[in-house]
C-alpha cells in the first residue's frame, strides 16, 4: 500500500527551517536587510518630501490665492479695462453666499494701473477688497510680513508685495501714488500710504499686486458698487467641477473658472500625482531586487547538498520552493516594515517641525513653494510599497527557487 | 516470506560521456524482512548506483524494482519523492544533517513532513534518539556533535518513520574504526530490536563479519551472494 502526504503536512517545518536559514549566514542576511531598510527609509522620506511640497503648494494656491472658483466678465478677461465689471455683481454676491456648497465668497474691484514711488513707476493690478471678507477667503492678514492689515476704512491705505516694495525702495509708512484710467477713459489718481507688506509663495504675484479698500477704488473709478471678480471657497474640493458647470450654465455671460483652469499647472500636478516619486521608489526597489536575487542564489548554491538530501529524504518540490520563497519574503518584508516604520516616524517628526530651507526661500517662492517643507504621506503609500516589495521579492527569488528545484537528489548527495 | 525489496533484470547504463558506462547489469535480487545485508565490491563496481535504484533516487535503464510488492521503476519524480518519504530510510556518507536544526529536529522533521501528530512526533524522536544512545544530546546542533554522533542521529532519523528498509551508502566511510564499529553495532542492535531491514555498502572488509548477508559486486554484476 502506498502512503501519500497531505498538502499541508510539514508546512510548520518548512517555515521554521526558512526562518533558521535566514540567520545562518547572519552577515549576508543582515546586510541585505540593511540595504532594504535604508532604501525604504530613504525612499519614504523622499516621497514624503515631494508629497509635502506638492500639498503645500496646492494649499497655498487654493487657500491663499485662487480660491476654488472665480467669476469674471469675458470682456474684462479679454481687455481688462474699466467699466467691464460684472453687472449687478453685489446682488450676485448675495445669492451665491446662500448656496450650501459655499463656505466663503468675496467680491473684488479690479483695475490695471501704475504705481509710482519717488524713484520708480511700475505697472500693477489694483485689487479693491473687502478687508473682512478676504480674511476668510484667502487669509490675507496671515500673508503680511511687515506692518498691519487694512484697517481704518477712511484712510487711504495700501498693501503691497515684498518684491514690489524692494523694487520701489519703499517701506511701511511710505506714500505712493496710484493712477489708472476710469470708465470714461480719464486717468484718475490718488495718494496712498503703505500700511503693510505681504509675501505669498508666488513671487510674480508679489511684484504686481496691490491691495486697497474696495470702496476707495470704486470711488476713484467713479463706479459705486462695481464688482469685477467674484471668488468662491467651497466646503469640498470635490464639488468644484459640478458647481463650476452649474454656475456657467446659470450665467452664460460670465466666465466661470475653477482653480483647474486658473492654475493649469496645479491641475497637471494633481493628475500626474505622485507618479514621478513612485518611479523613484520603484527604481530603488528594482536595485534591491537584484541584491535579493544575488543573495538567494548564493544561499541556494551553498546548500545544494543539503537541498539534495532533503529531496532524497522526501521533501517535495513544492515545499522546497516554498522554503526558498518564504526565506526571501520574510527578510524582505521584515526589512521593509522596519524601513517604512522608520520612514513614517521621520515623516511624522519632520511633519511637525518642518524642514527649514530658509536659505532658499526666494528661489522656492519663484516656483510657488514655501521655505519650510512639511513632509506628508498617506497610508496608501505604505500599502502600495508593501505590495511592490512582495511582488518584486517573489520575482527576485523565483530564479534561485527554481534552481533549487532543478537539482538531482542522487547527484547532489554523491560525495 | 514476501521480500521487502526485489529487482528483476535491473540494469543501469550511463550514456553521458563519450562511451556508455554499464554501471549495473542484469541484477536479480531479493531482500527479506529483517536482513542485515552489506554490499561490497571495488570502487566503481556499482554499489552507489545499486543503492540509488533501490532507494528510488534514480530510475533504472532496464528492469524493475519492487518495494513490498509495489513497482517503483516507472514512478514520476514527484511520486518517488513521496514514496521515499513514507517507505525508505536513508543514511548518507556525509551531509546527512541540517546544521541549523538540533539533533531532535533533524530526526523529527521526517515525521513532520509526513504530517504526523505533534505528540507522536516528539515521543518517537525521543525514543529513536535514546535507541542510538543520544538522548542527552537532543538539543545539540550537529556542529556540537562528533562525526560518529552525527551518523547516529542520521540512523535515528532513518528509523524514525519505521520505513520498509534503511539504505546506507558507506555510512562509516568518514569514521575511525572504533567509531565505525560502534555505529555498526548500533545498527545491528536496531536490526534485531526493531526488526529493521538494513542494506548498506562498504569498502571496509572488517565490517563484513557483522552482516547476515554479503553481496559482492564486480563490474556491475553480482559475483557472489552469501547468507550466513
Ligand atoms: N552520474 C553518472 N554518470 C556517468 N557515470 C556514472 C555516474 N554515476 C556513476 N557512474 C559510473 O558508474 C560506475 C559505478 O559507479 P558507482 O558510483 O555506483 O560505484 P561504487 O561502487 O559506488 O564506487 P565507490 O566504491 O567508489 O563509491 C562507475 O564506473 C562510475 O564512473
Ligand atoms: Mg559509491
Amino acid at each position: 500500500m502506498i502512503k501519500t502526504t497531505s498538502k499541508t503536512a510539514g508546512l510548520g517545518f518548512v517555515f521554521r527551517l526558512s526562518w533558521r536559514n535566514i540567520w545562518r549566514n547572519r552577515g549576508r542576511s543582515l546586510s541585505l536587510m540593511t540595504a532594504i531598510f535604508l532604501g525604504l527609509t530613504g525612499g519614504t522620506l523622499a516621497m514624503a518630501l515631494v508629497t509635502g511640497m506638492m500639498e503645500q503648494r496646492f494649499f497655498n494656491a487654493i487657500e491663499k490665492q485662487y480660491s476654488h472658483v472665480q467669476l469674471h466678465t469675458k470682456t474684462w478677461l479679454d481687455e481688462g479695462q474699466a467699466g467691464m465689471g460684472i453687472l449687478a455683481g453685489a446682488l450676485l454676491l448675495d445669492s451665491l453666499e446662500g448656496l450650501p456648497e459655499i463656505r466663503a465668497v468675496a467680491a473684488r474691484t479690479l483695475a490695471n494701473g501704475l504705481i509710482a514711488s519717488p524713484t520708480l513707476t511700475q505697472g500693477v493690478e489694483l485689487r479693491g477688497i473687502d478687508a473682512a471678507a478676504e480674511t476668510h477667503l484667502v487669509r490675507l492678514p496671515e500673508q503680511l510680513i511687515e506692518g498691519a492689515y487694512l484697517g481704518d476704512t477712511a484712510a487711504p491705505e495700501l498693501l503691497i508685495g515684498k518684491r514690489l516694495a524692494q523694487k520701489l525702495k519703499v517701506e511701511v509708512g511710505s506714500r505712493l501714488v496710484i493712477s489708472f484710467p476710469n470708465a470714461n477713459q480719464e486717468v484718475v489718481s490718488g495718494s496712498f500710504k503703505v500700511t503693510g507688506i505681504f509675501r505669498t509663495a508666488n513671487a510674480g504675484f508679489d511684484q504686481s499686486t496691490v491691495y486697497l479698500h474696495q470702496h476707495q477704488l470704486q470711488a476713484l473709478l467713479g463706479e459705486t458698487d462695481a464688482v469685477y471678480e467674484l471668488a468662491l471657497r467651497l466646503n469640498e474640493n470635490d464639488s468644484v467641477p459640478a458647481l463650476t458647470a452649474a454656475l456657467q450654465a446659470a450665467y452664460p455671460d460670465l466666465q466661470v473658472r475653477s482653480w483647474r483652469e486658473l492654475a493649469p499647472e496645479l491641475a497637471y500636478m494633481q493628475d500626474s500625482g505622485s507618479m514621478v516619486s513612485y518611479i523613484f521608489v520603484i527604481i530603488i526597489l528594482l536595485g534591491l531586487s537584484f541584491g535579493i536575487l544575488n543573495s538567494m542564489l548564493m544561499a541556494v548554491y551553498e546548500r545544494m547538498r543539503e537541498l539534495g538530501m532533503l529531496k532524497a529524504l522526501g521533501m517535495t518540490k513544492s515545499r522546497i520552493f516554498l522554503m526558498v520563497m518564504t526565506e526571501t519574503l520574510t527578510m524582505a518584508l521584515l526589512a521593509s516594515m522596519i524601513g517604512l516604520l522608520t520612514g513614517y516616524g521621520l515623516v511624522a517628526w519632520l511633519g511637525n517641525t518642518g524642514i527649514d530651507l530658509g536659505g532658499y526661500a526666494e528661489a522656492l517662492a519663484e516656483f510657488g513653494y514655501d521655505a519650510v517643507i512639511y513632509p506628508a504621506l498617506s497610508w496608501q503609500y505604505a500599502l502600495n510599497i508593501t505590495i511592490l516589495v512582495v511582488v518584486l521579492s517573489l520575482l527576485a527569488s523565483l530564479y534561485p527557487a527554481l534552481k533549487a528545484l532543478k537539482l538531482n537528489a542522487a547527484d547532489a548527495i554523491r560525495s | 516470506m514476501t521480500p521487502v525489496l526485489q529487482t528483476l533484470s535491473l540494469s543501469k547504463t550511463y550514456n553521458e560521456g563519450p562511451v556508455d558506462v554499464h554501471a549495473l547489469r542484469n541484477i536479480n535480487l531479493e531482500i527479506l524482512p529483517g536482513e542485515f545485508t552489506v554490499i561490497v565490491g571495488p570502487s566503481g563496481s556499482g554499489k552507489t548506483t545499486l543503492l540509488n535504484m533501490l532507494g528510488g533516487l534514480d530510475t533504472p535503464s532496464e528492469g524493475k524494482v519492487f518495494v513490498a510488492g509495489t513497482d517503483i521503476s516507472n514512478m514520476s519524480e514527484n511520486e518517488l519523492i513521496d514514496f521515499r518519504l513514507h517507505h525508505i530510510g536513508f543514511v548518507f556518507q556525509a551531509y546527512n544533517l541540517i546544521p541549523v536544526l538540533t539533533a531532535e529536529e533533524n530526526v523529527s522533521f521526517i515525521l513532520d513532513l509526513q504530517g504526523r501528530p505533534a505528540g507522536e512526533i516528539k515521543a518517537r524522536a525521543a525514543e529513536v534518539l535514546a535507541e542510538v544512545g543520544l538522548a542527552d544530546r537532543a538539543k545539540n546542533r550537529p556542529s556540537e556533535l562528533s562525526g560518529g554522533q552525527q551518523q547516529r542521529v542520521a540512523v535515528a532519523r532513518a528509523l524514525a518513520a519505521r520505513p520498509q528498509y534503511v539504505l546506507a551508502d558507506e555510512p562509516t566511510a568518514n569514521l575511525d574504526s572504533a567509531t565505525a564499529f560502534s555505529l555498526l553495532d548500533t545498527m545491528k542492535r536496531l536490526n534485531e530490536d526493531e526488526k529493521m531491514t538494513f542494506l548498506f555498502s562498504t569498502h571496509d572488509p572488517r565490517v563484513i563479519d557483522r552482516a547476515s548477508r554479503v553481496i559482492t559486486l564486480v563490474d556491475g554484476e553480482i559475483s557472489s551472494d552469501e547468507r550466513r
Side-chain angles (χ1 to χ4, degrees), chain A residues 83-358:
Chain A
M84 295 174 172
I86 299 170
L87 217 60
L91 285 175
L92 182 53
L93 174 74
D94 288 343
S95 67
L96 288 175
E97 233 166 359
L99 292 178
E101 296 97 325
I102 286 176
R103 186 196 299 177
V105 293
R108 295 161 185 161
T109 303
L110 309 178
N112 290 314
L114 296 173
I115 191 160
S117 75
T119 55
L120 199 75
T121 301
Q122 169 86 20
V124 288
E125 184 179 54
L126 300 162
R127 302 179 73 81
I129 57 171
D130 172 345
E134 298 295 343
T135 305
H136 298 300
L137 203 72
V138 290
R139 305 162 178 245
L140 199 47
E142 289 176 23
Q143 302 183 31
L144 292 184
I145 53 170
E146 287 169 48
Y149 190 51
L150 295 178
D152 183 353
T153 51
E157 292 174 337
L158 283 185
L159 301 176
I160 67 174
K162 178 71 183 166
R163 273 283 187 102
L164 186 59
Q166 280 169 343
K167 213 159 179 190
L168 298 173
K169 298 197 175 65
V170 296
E171 48 198 26
V172 172
S174 302
R175 295 200 79 86
L176 292 168
V177 175
I178 58 172
S179 55
F180 53 92
N182 69 8
N184 301 326
Q185 300 304 321
E186 301 157 353
V187 172
V188 292
S189 63
S191 170
F192 288 78
K193 199 173 89 178
V194 175
T195 175
I197 295 176
F198 61 83
R199 184 165 74 193
T200 69
N202 182 338
F205 184 82
D206 291 359
Q207 194 180 316
S208 63
T209 309
V210 172
Y211 289 110
L212 67 164
H213 281 295
Q214 186 172 30
H215 67 92
Q216 291 172 7
L217 185 57
Q218 285 167 340
L220 280 171
L221 276 169
E223 295 182 294
T224 338
D225 289 346
V227 169
Y228 283 73
E229 176 175 289
L230 285 164
L232 319 178
R233 267 292 299 286
L234 310 195
N235 290 317
E236 302 285 345
N237 187 34
D238 292 345
S239 39
V240 168
L243 188 77
T244 307
L247 289 177
Q248 186 62 75
Y251 305 102
D253 294 341
L254 299 182
Q255 187 77 40
V256 183
R257 295 180 301 168
S258 72
W259 61 265
R260 294 185 71 88
E261 292 136 287
L262 293 164
E265 76 282 1
L266 281 190
Y268 175 74
M269 201 168 80
Q270 202 191 37
D271 296 342
S272 63
S274 36
M275 269 310 281
V276 177
S277 31
Y278 264 111
I279 288 172
F280 177 70
V281 178
I282 288 171
I283 290 173
I284 295 182
L285 288 177
L286 276 178
L288 292 173
S289 304
F290 282 95
I292 295 177
L293 176 75
N294 179 54
S295 242
M296 290 315 292
L297 211 52
M298 276 164 69
V300 165
Y301 276 128
E302 269 174 20
R303 297 178 209 150
M304 272 302 178
R305 286 176 185 285
E306 181 179 318
L307 291 167
M309 184 268 289
L310 283 170
K311 203 172 171 187
L313 291 185
M315 186 139 152
T316 53
K317 290 204 250 179
S318 51
R319 281 175 183 71
I320 291 177
F321 188 78
L322 184 68
M323 187 173 82
V324 176
M325 287 290 194
T326 308
E327 184 175 339
T328 317
L329 208 57
T330 309
M331 277 196 284
L333 276 179
L334 205 66
S336 326
M337 287 303 119
I338 302 175
L340 281 175
L341 278 177
T342 312
Y344 271 84
L346 285 173
V347 169
W349 177 54
L350 292 170
N352 271 330
T353 24
I355 302 172
D356 193 349
L357 301 176

Side-chain angles (χ1 to χ4, degrees), chain A residues 61-75:
Chain A
I62 297 213
E63 298 257 331
K64 296 187 172 172
Q65 191 180 348
Y66 297 109
S67 305
H68 286 120
V69 181
Q70 291 185 8
L71 291 81
H72 303 88
T73 63
K74 288 171 180 158
T75 46

